[in-house]
Amino acid sequence: SQQGEEDPQALSIQEGENATMNCSYKTSINNLQWYRQNSGRGLVHLILIRSNEREKHSGRLRVTLDTSKKSSSLLITASRAADTASYFCATRWVDKIIFGKGTRLHILP
Amino acid sequence: DVKVTQSSRYLVKRTGEKVFLECVQDMDHENMFWYRQDPGLGLRLIYFSYDVKMKEKGDIPEGYSVSREKKERFSLILESASTNQTSMYLCASSFGLRGVQNTEAFFGQGTRLTVV
């Protein structure tokens, strides 16, 4: 399997704290993407980082990519209750997009 | 807004039945994908297509086939449904990588299939 791995599998933090999730992958990539899934629904794209980029920001999201270590991290700053969801990284190589197993994030009030 | 529509939200089928899951996208995307999602296993790629009538196996193609006769439609077929195919099925589409910057996937709402 070429599936990536997110770490941790589950994460609970207090509202207002920062949440960090990590992703490791095995294959060559053109880009790496992060998605969010609210309970029982489809996935929503959050942010994309290309293989020649090292860091990218979008609002409260910060993504880093280290292609030498085949790893990425997603930082969500100043977490909110609405951030409670599952987060998936996905790697793209040509026409194929492969997802990891996800991190379940729970924001405590 | 991109729309990816899956034909059914919930489906119950009997063991041995032939099952068709339909997916339609309205953004002229070249690529379409079928995944299944199971607790603790994340999303696993079943098949994907990069053009009309073109398809490639993903990580778990056994027991499934696909059809892409038109660019906007990608069908997943369970030739003879079995209980271990009970799962959430997610369809997605995206632009092809060549010459396009944003190649993220857009997802349908999913079909929860139960095989009894």
Side-chain angles (χ1 to χ4, degrees):
Chain A
S1 171
Q2 303 170 44
Q3 200 174 26
E5 294 281 340
E6 285 92 339
D7 169 50
Q9 290 186 346
L11 179 62
S12 292
I13 60 172
Q14 295 293 137
E15 192 167 8
E17 292 181 342
N18 296 341
T20 299
M21 288 160 267
N22 302 297
C23 169
S24 60
Y25 59 92
K26 301 173 186 176
T27 63
S28 299
I29 65 170
N30 296 113
N31 61 55
L32 186 142
Q33 307 168 23
W34 285 89
Y35 292 79
R36 183 186 71 228
Q37 184 182 38
N38 292 99
S39 180
R41 304 186 72 86
L43 277 74
V44 174
H45 176 258
L46 294 175
I47 192 166
L48 179 154
I49 185 166
R50 295 183 180 81
S51 59
N52 60 354
E53 296 175 317
R54 292 296 165 258
E55 188 171 313
K56 200 160 183 180
H57 298 255
S58 176
R60 293 185 296 115
L61 305 179
R62 174 180 168 251
V63 170
T64 62
L65 178 64
D66 186 336
T67 52
S68 66
K69 294 181 179 177
K70 288 188 163 56
S71 67
S72 173
S73 67
L74 172 68
L75 169 68
I76 304 173
T77 60
S79 62
R80 305 168 181 168
D83 295 329
T84 292
S86 292
Y87 292 81
F88 295 87
C89 72
T91 54
R92 176 147 196 157
W93 177 247
V94 191
D95 294 299
K96 195 172 186 179
I97 302 178
I98 297 291
F99 283 79
K101 295 182 180 179
T103 293
R104 292 189 312 279
L105 176 63
H106 187 207
I107 307 301
L108 303 168
Chain B
D1 268 1
V2 174
K3 202 161 190 179
V4 180
T5 304
Q6 294 183 230
S7 53
S8 305
R9 193 76 198 272
Y10 299 95
L11 213 50
V12 180
K13 294 292 182 181
R14 295 196 179 280
T15 302
E17 274 194 76
K18 191 168 186 176
V19 181
F20 293 85
L21 302 182
E22 306 286 346
C23 177
V24 177
Q25 51 95 2
D26 65 358
M27 270 298 289
D28 203 33
H29 284 163
E30 292 87 1
N31 298 156
M32 296 189 75
F33 309 84
W34 275 106
Y35 299 89
R36 65 176 282 177
Q37 183 176 20
D38 301 287
L41 298 178
L43 277 75
R44 292 179 291 166
L45 181 62
I46 304 171
Y47 268 97
F48 66 101
S49 167
Y50 52 91
D51 202 348
V52 176
K53 296 190 188 295
M54 307 303 287
K55 61 189 179 186
E56 281 200 29
K57 294 179 181 178
D59 293 329
I60 52 164
E62 297 78 17
Y64 302 94
S65 63
V66 290
S67 171
R68 193 160 180 209
E69 296 297 318
K70 292 185 178 181
K71 192 174 186 179
E72 67 269 20
R73 186 179 295 269
F74 192 36
S75 303
L76 179 69
I77 304 154
L78 286 67
E79 298 290 344
S80 177
S82 64
T83 54
N84 63 12
Q85 292 178 309
T86 291
S87 186
M88 170 71 89
Y89 289 87
L90 293 165
C91 174
S93 70
S94 79
F95 284 115
L97 194 65
R98 288 161 284 278
V100 178
Q101 289 201 349
N102 292 330
T103 59
E104 69 268 31
F106 295 85
F107 279 82
Q109 286 300 298
T111 296
R112 189 166 293 281
L113 172 68
T114 302
V115 182
V116 297

